[in-house]
């Protein structure tokens, strides 16, 4: 399978715990995006990497959120001190330059109890 | 007001019907327009992409963009039960940097009855 992969697919955690998600983009895609989707809503942009550089962060990305993309390959999204409002589907997408061709992974569904 | 507004749903049609899905937007900087299909508990799947105004056809799907009216549409001909999903419109302002981020509509859930 050469699509975008995300791990884990599901995560249940208690409020206050830290969680980390991983995204493996399509090979050779230099652009990587994180979005968050809550029930009944469209995905909302969180952050964007071109190669290893994080070039844009949404105001939705509070100080408890951090994302990395070491070596410009896979990316991780960490949420510290999780809150119930963090419960959502976290989606990763990758692209080779053109915005019209962002390919999404299956998402990581987070539930904070 | 949100930057992208999508017709509220849900929408239920009989098999074989023509389906029309629409979005309006307020940001005149948007130049790239996409439709994604999302099945329950899955990631969005790119269906159609259009640059600027115009029409694009791919099999049973036709995407239309009218930038003067800030209005985009997706038409599905001969709808099938397998088309039952949530359809999301998305758009971006450019190809580089922050302009490449997608802004999505809320999505509309379509059900095609056999």
């Amino acid at each position: 399978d050469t699509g975008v992969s995300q791990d884990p697919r599901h995560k249940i955690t208690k409020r206050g715990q830290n969680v980390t998600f991983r995204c493996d983009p399509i090979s050779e895609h230099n652009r990587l995006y994180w979005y968050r989707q809550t029930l009944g809503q469209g995905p909302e942009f969180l952050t964007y990497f071109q190669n290893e550089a994080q070039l844009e962060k949404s105001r939705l990305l509070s100080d408890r959120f951090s994302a990395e993309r070491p070596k410009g390959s896979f990316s991780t999204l960490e949420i510290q001190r999780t809150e119930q409002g963090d419960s959502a589907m976290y989606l990763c997408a990758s692209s080779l330059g053109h915005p019209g061709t962002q390919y999404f992974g299956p998402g990581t569904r987070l539930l904070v109890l | 007001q949100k930057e992208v507004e999508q017709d509220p749903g849900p929408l239920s049609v009989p098999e074989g019907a023509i389906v029309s899905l629409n979005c309006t937007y307020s940001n005149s900087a948007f130049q790239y327009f996409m439709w994604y299909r999302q099945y329950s508990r899955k990631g969005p799947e790119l269906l159609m992409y259009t640059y600027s105004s115009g029409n694009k056809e791919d099999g049973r799907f036709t995407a239309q963009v009218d930038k003067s009216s800030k209005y985009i549409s997706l038409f599905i001909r001969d709808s099938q039960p397998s088309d039952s999903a949530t359809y999301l419109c998305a758009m971006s302002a450019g190809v580089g940097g922050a302009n490449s981020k997608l802004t999505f509509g809320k999505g509309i859930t379509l059900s095609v009855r056999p």
Side-chain angles (χ1 to χ4, degrees):
Chain A
D1 187 350
T2 57
V4 178
S5 61
Q6 292 187 245
D7 185 69
R9 295 291 307 278
H10 304 275
K11 179 71 177 179
I12 300 174
T13 191
K14 292 182 179 178
R15 189 177 48 163
Q17 298 294 304
N18 299 344
V19 294
T20 300
F21 309 141
R22 176 178 170 128
C23 170
D24 286 89
I26 294 173
S27 180
E28 299 177 355
H29 277 194
N30 61 339
R31 299 182 183 201
L32 188 147
Y33 305 80
W34 285 97
Y35 293 84
R36 181 172 68 187
Q37 185 177 26
T38 54
L39 199 62
Q41 302 295 320
E44 292 179 293
F45 170 79
L46 291 178
T47 191
Y48 155 67
F49 290 85
Q50 183 161 327
N51 299 310
E52 67 275 9
Q54 188 175 18
L55 297 184
E56 178 76 5
K57 291 170 61 174
S58 164
R59 66 182 187 281
L60 293 175
L61 217 64
S62 75
D63 291 344
R64 296 185 296 106
F65 288 71
S66 63
E68 295 182 343
R69 194 184 181 197
K71 302 179 183 178
S73 55
F74 71 93
S75 175
T76 58
L77 178 68
E78 180 183 17
I79 309 174
Q80 296 182 327
R81 304 181 304 282
T82 52
E83 302 173 355
Q84 288 182 324
D86 297 331
S87 296
M89 170 88 93
Y90 290 84
L91 293 161
C92 175
S94 71
S95 169
L96 189 61
H98 204 288
T101 52
Q102 283 189 36
Y103 296 96
F104 282 80
T108 294
R109 186 173 294 275
L110 172 67
L111 178 61
V112 181
L113 301 176
Chain B
Q1 183 184 5
K2 288 202 154 193
E3 278 191 290
V4 179
E5 299 280 357
Q6 188 164 359
D7 284 350
L11 181 62
S12 180
V13 301
E15 184 175 353
I18 297 175
V19 176
S20 172
L21 307 175
N22 309 294
C23 287
T24 58
Y25 63 94
S26 58
N27 187 346
S28 57
F30 288 144
Q31 298 205 60
Y32 300 85
F33 305 92
M34 289 130 269
W35 286 95
Y36 283 84
R37 178 174 63 193
Q38 186 173 29
Y39 292 110
S40 181
R41 300 183 178 274
K42 304 287 187 184
E45 170 195 9
L46 181 64
L47 270 181
M48 299 288 287
Y49 151 78
T50 310
Y51 167 68
S52 195
S53 286
N55 295 355
K56 185 171 185 177
E57 188 172 321
D58 184 1
R60 297 184 295 111
F61 298 90
T62 299
Q64 288 186 350
V65 174
D66 182 349
K67 287 189 68 180
S68 62
S69 301
K70 296 189 178 67
Y71 188 88
I72 72 170
S73 300
L74 177 70
F75 298 95
I76 306 174
R77 291 182 299 280
D78 187 26
S79 55
Q80 302 295 310
S82 58
D83 295 328
S84 298
T86 295
Y87 289 80
L88 298 153
C89 62
M91 41 201 83
S92 69
V95 298
N99 285 337
S100 64
K101 67 184 178 187
L102 297 179
T103 301
F104 283 85
K106 197 173 177 178
I108 183 169
T109 298
L110 169 68
S111 175
V112 181
R113 309 185 302 272

